[in-house]
């Protein structure tokens, strides 16, 4: 059977066909849809984990226990999971372990575009890179076999264009491999120093065997055409190169990219006159080729920044300026990023914006948009959890410099469970007088509304315990009088909470509780609610524009509210001093 699938869908299908029985992940673009599709295969026990480190540790335990296991995350998530990632390479596996690293050249939804191919030689794990959806399926199946045969975890590195592009895929039946028998072996699976030193030797031996395999396996192949130019490439860069050069050059297409196939590269180099290395971001392949003493052209003409595309390659290697991409002759209005209409985060950011000397440490999520005008609240964004931790550092710097500034740290509910709790504990333990703001919108919103430990439901749809954020905060040592919970749609109560938080002299926690406006059930519940402007009363003061709601516009001097976008949150009504905004639909 043939089916059109995205790379993420094909990865999930490949895991199913390979007999995978356990899968864990933390959602993050561009990897999110992998687990969202894996969960459709009931033979696989799937979970959203609180963070990527936990997901990989679950995966390590499952693989040691004999289960073929898939763990998925975006590129920055592997930083969080790096600790177990390095150690499991020493320990090896029982059932196959495949770790998806979904990289994002171009940073469409990320804080950096790190090239995680560099993790493979650093951690000494096998690395495999597909270039289309069919290879995603086939290579995942091969990855599990390689993991078990060579006793190593496999890093399956994909990028945004692989994850989200669609292609024709041939489906097969599931291979039932079961769960391998577990046998206690502390020398292999318990990494105290004496055991680790011995396992390091075994790992190097396994990599030597794997290197020999990489030189002859079908994942690495030569496509010989004209030998004046030979291109060495991998992943989506192979597709771009094929589009630009067609059959006028020869290719060494790499699918297993660590250990690198040294003999195959030398053989290919001997067959062509000139070599181009085409790859996005870091010169990973290029450096290896040059280290072998082989001349090649790569980053001399290609930037390490951003994604590649056929136009960039034509200009770099052929000197052609023509951009053959399909163009639409439409002038679209610019749409800056902003919080959605009815977003519960808007109320708290608006209340915080009134304190001009406030320094706010932000985090990764929808609420990053608190830094966008007209709210202009957020000062810093580093990584998940740093909303709290960086706030502690900021306050310490101000204390040491005798600077009288109040510091707020902001995280969402999913981020709180991911890596915010430890920052909270640090603030309590070290008595840092900051305010920790937890924006609880009952979902993991920016990545597409996934469940988290505070939603009461698992990835597989099972009803479970709701982790009470307020209870966790108090259990971590925040005094009861220093915990305030508000509905951010109630602007006066929210302002009162912010005022109390601003004046606090001890670690203080402010929790906002209101479900995301885009949750299906919420949209259905509030579909008939909206606000409108009574033009006869409107003074054109434009105060309502200062909350930054995309449903409110200024047209021909009049303030208008788009009824299709508005969900009746009433923030605009609450900031209007002339009662010119009314709620309808009730």
């Amino acid at each position: 059977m043939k089916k059109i699938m995205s790379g993420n869908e094909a990865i999930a299908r490949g895991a199913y066909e390979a007999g995978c029985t356990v899968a864990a992940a933390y959602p993050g673009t561009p990897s999110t849809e992998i687990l969202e599709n894996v969960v459709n295969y009931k033979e696989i026990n799937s979970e959203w984990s609180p963070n990527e480190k936990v997901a990989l540790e679950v995966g390590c335990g499952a693989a040691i226990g004999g289960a073929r296991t898939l763990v998925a995350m975006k590129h920055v998530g592997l930083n969080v999971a790096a600790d177990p990632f390095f150690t499991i390479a020493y320990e090896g596996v029982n059932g196959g372990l495949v770790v998806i690293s979904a990289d994002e050249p171009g940073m469409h939804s990320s804080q950096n575009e790190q090239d995680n191919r560099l993790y493979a030689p650093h951690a000494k794990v096998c690395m495999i890179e597909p270039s289309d959806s069919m290879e995603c399926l086939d290579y995942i199946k091969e990855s599990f076999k390689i993991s078990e045969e060579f006793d190593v975890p496999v890093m399956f590195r994909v990028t945004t264009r692989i994850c989200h592009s669609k292609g024709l895929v041939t489906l097969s039946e599931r291979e039932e491999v079961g769960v391998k028998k577990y046998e206690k072996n502390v020398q292999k699976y318990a990494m105290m120093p004496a055991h680790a030193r011995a396992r390091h030797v075994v790992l190097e031996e396994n990599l030597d065997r794997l290197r020999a395999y990489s030189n002859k396996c079908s994942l690495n192949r030569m496509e010989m055409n004209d030998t004046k130019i030979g291109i060495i490439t991998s992943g989506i860069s192979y597709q771009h190169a094929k589009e630009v050069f067609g059959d006028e050059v020869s290719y060494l297409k790499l699918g297993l990219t660590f250990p690198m196939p040294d003999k195959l590269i030398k053989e290919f180099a001997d067959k062509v006159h000139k070599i181009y290395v085409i790859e996005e971001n870091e010169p990973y392949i290029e450096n290896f080729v040059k280290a072998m003493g082989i001349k090649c052209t790569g980053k001399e003409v290609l930037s390490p920044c951003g994604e590649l595309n056929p136009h960039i390659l034509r200009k770099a290697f052929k000197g052609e300026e023509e951009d053959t991409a399909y163009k639409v002759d439409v002038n679209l209005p610019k749409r800056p990023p902003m919080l959605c209409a009815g977003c519960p985060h808007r109320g708290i950011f608006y209340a915080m914006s009134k304190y001009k000397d406030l320094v706010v440490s932000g985090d990764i999520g929808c609420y990053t948009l608190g830094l966008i005008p007209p709210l202009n609240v957020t000062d810093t964004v580093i990584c998940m959890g740093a909303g709290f931790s960086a706030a502690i550092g900021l306050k310490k710097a101000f204390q040491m410099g005798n600077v009288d500034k109040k510091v707020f740290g902001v995280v969402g509910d999913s981020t709180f469970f991911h890596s915010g709790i430890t920052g909270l504990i640090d603030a309590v333990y070290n008595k840092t007088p900051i305010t920790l703001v937890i924006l609880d919108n009952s979902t993991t919103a920016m990545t597409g509304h996934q469940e988290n430990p505070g939603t009461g439901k698992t990835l597989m749809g099972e009803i479970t315990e709701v982790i009470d954020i307020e209870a966790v905060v108090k259990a971590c040592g925040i005094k009861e009088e220093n915990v305030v919970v508000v509905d951010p749609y109630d602007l006066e109560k929210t302002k009162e909470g912010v005022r109390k938080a601003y004046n606090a002299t001890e670690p203080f926690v402010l929790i906002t509780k209101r479900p995301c406006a885009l949750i299906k059930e919420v949209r259905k519940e509030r579909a008939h609610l909206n606000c409108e402007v009574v033009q006869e009363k409107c003074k054109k003061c434009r105060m309502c524009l200062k909350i930054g709601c995309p449903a409110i516009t200024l047209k021909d001097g009049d303030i208008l509210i788009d009824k299709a976008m508005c969900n009746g949150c009433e923030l605009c009504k609450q900031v209007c001093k002339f009662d010119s905004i009314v709620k309808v639909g009730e």
Side-chain angles (χ1 to χ4, degrees), residues 400-430:
M400 298 303 292
N402 295 315
V403 176
D404 186 19
K405 282 186 177 291
K406 186 68 179 183
V407 178
F408 279 30
V410 179
V411 305
D413 51 336
S414 184
T415 305
F416 177 72
F417 296 121
H418 179 283
S419 47
I421 296 174
T422 46
L424 167 68
I425 292 171
D426 187 290
V428 173
Y429 176 61
N430 289 297

Side-chain angles (χ1 to χ4, degrees), residues 97-268:
L97 175 60
V98 178
V99 181
I100 310 290
S101 173
D103 290 11
E104 196 170 33
M107 297 176 284
H108 304 282
S109 186
S110 303
Q111 65 267 41
N112 68 35
E113 55 179 343
Q114 69 188 47
D115 190 334
N116 275 9
R117 291 180 301 170
L118 301 176
Y119 260 117
H122 194 19
K124 298 180 182 291
V125 301
C126 176
M127 178 165 61
I128 290 177
E129 296 184 73
S131 62
D132 58 30
S133 294
M134 188 69 247
E135 287 187 353
C136 282
L137 191 154
D138 288 340
Y139 286 14
I140 278 287
K141 294 162 72 172
E142 191 67 21
S143 294
F144 280 111
K145 294 177 182 177
I146 289 172
S147 178
E148 292 172 352
E149 180 179 349
F150 294 95
D151 195 20
V152 295
V154 171
M155 186 174 90
F156 197 84
R157 192 256 186 176
V158 287
T159 58
T160 305
R161 301 302 173 184
I162 300 294
C163 292
H164 293 161
S165 297
K166 293 201 172 190
L168 195 62
V169 172
T170 302
L171 307 185
S172 303
E173 296 299 317
R174 176 176 168 86
E175 178 189 5
E176 292 293 354
V177 296
V179 176
K180 290 186 176 183
K181 182 181 178 181
Y182 168 73
E183 295 181 356
K184 183 173 181 176
N185 185 346
V186 295
Q187 286 78 19
K188 186 176 193 293
Y189 296 125
M191 284 302 97
M192 59 185 290
H195 297 168
R197 283 191 287 270
R199 287 300 304 175
H200 188 183
V201 174
V202 173
L203 173 58
E204 296 296 344
E205 293 169 349
N206 289 338
L207 290 178
D208 284 341
R209 291 194 299 120
L210 190 53
R211 186 172 293 105
Y213 173 79
S214 74
N215 280 295
K216 61 183 182 181
C217 75
S218 61
L219 302 183
N220 296 326
R221 67 174 186 264
M222 287 189 282
E223 298 175 8
M224 301 307 299
N225 299 300
D226 192 306
T227 58
K228 288 188 180 69
I229 295 174
I231 293 176
I232 305 177
T233 186
S234 67
I236 195 63
S237 298
Y238 168 75
Q239 304 290 0
H240 296 323
K242 289 283 283 187
E243 183 172 338
V244 172
F245 294 96
D247 294 334
E248 65 189 57
V249 302
S250 295
Y251 300 89
L252 176 56
K253 194 266 187 190
L254 301 178
L256 199 165
T257 49
F258 187 80
M260 290 284 277
D262 49 356
K263 293 180 181 178
L264 189 63
I265 290 172
K266 180 66 166 61
E267 180 184 345
F268 180 72

Side-chain angles (χ1 to χ4, degrees), residues 24 47 50 63 118 124 131 180 264 289 346 360 365 498 514 565:
E47 71 163 56
L118 301 176
K124 298 180 182 291
S131 62
K180 290 186 176 183
L264 189 63
V289 172
R346 181 169 283 106
V360 179
V498 171
R514 168 67 68 162
M565 295 179 69

Side-chain angles (χ1 to χ4, degrees), residues 214-435:
S214 74
N215 280 295
K216 61 183 182 181
C217 75
S218 61
L219 302 183
N220 296 326
R221 67 174 186 264
M222 287 189 282
E223 298 175 8
M224 301 307 299
N225 299 300
D226 192 306
T227 58
K228 288 188 180 69
I229 295 174
I231 293 176
I232 305 177
T233 186
S234 67
I236 195 63
S237 298
Y238 168 75
Q239 304 290 0
H240 296 323
K242 289 283 283 187
E243 183 172 338
V244 172
F245 294 96
D247 294 334
E248 65 189 57
V249 302
S250 295
Y251 300 89
L252 176 56
K253 194 266 187 190
L254 301 178
L256 199 165
T257 49
F258 187 80
M260 290 284 277
D262 49 356
K263 293 180 181 178
L264 189 63
I265 290 172
K266 180 66 166 61
E267 180 184 345
F268 180 72
D270 289 341
K271 291 181 177 182
V272 297
H273 297 284
K274 188 174 185 179
I275 293 177
Y276 297 156
V277 177
I278 296 178
E279 57 188 331
E280 291 178 323
N281 295 154
E282 300 302 316
Y284 171 74
I285 298 173
E286 180 183 342
N287 286 345
F288 185 86
V289 172
K290 287 181 175 177
M292 292 179 65
I294 299 171
K295 292 183 178 180
C296 63
T297 300
K299 293 304 173 185
E300 295 93 337
V301 295
L302 294 175
S303 171
C305 303
E307 294 180 294
L308 293 180
N309 59 44
H311 173 62
I312 291 173
L313 297 188
R314 284 192 185 93
K315 184 177 180 181
F317 291 104
K318 292 188 168 186
E320 298 175 0
E321 289 288 347
E322 181 185 6
D323 186 353
T324 59
Y326 183 76
K327 294 179 176 59
V328 179
D329 188 20
V330 176
N331 291 320
L332 296 174
K334 292 183 178 180
R335 184 185 182 277
M338 62 180 64
L339 298 170
C340 301
C343 176
H345 303 334
R346 181 169 283 106
I348 181 68
F349 283 134
Y350 180 76
M352 289 162 61
S353 72
K354 300 303 177 182
Y355 295 83
K356 300 307 179 184
D357 62 336
L358 188 63
V359 177
V360 179
S361 172
D363 216 292
I364 307 298
C366 297
Y367 43 88
T368 303
L369 299 175
L371 61 84
I372 302 295
L375 297 170
N376 298 308
V377 168
T378 308
D379 289 76
T380 69
V381 177
I382 302 171
C383 64
M384 292 191 73
F388 282 2
S389 307
I392 295 168
L394 281 163
K395 186 60 180 179
K396 287 182 180 295
F398 295 152
Q399 288 173 326
M400 298 303 292
N402 295 315
V403 176
D404 186 19
K405 282 186 177 291
K406 186 68 179 183
V407 178
F408 279 30
V410 179
V411 305
D413 51 336
S414 184
T415 305
F416 177 72
F417 296 121
H418 179 283
S419 47
I421 296 174
T422 46
L424 167 68
I425 292 171
D426 187 290
V428 173
Y429 176 61
N430 289 297
K431 299 181 178 181
T432 310
I434 61 171
T435 290

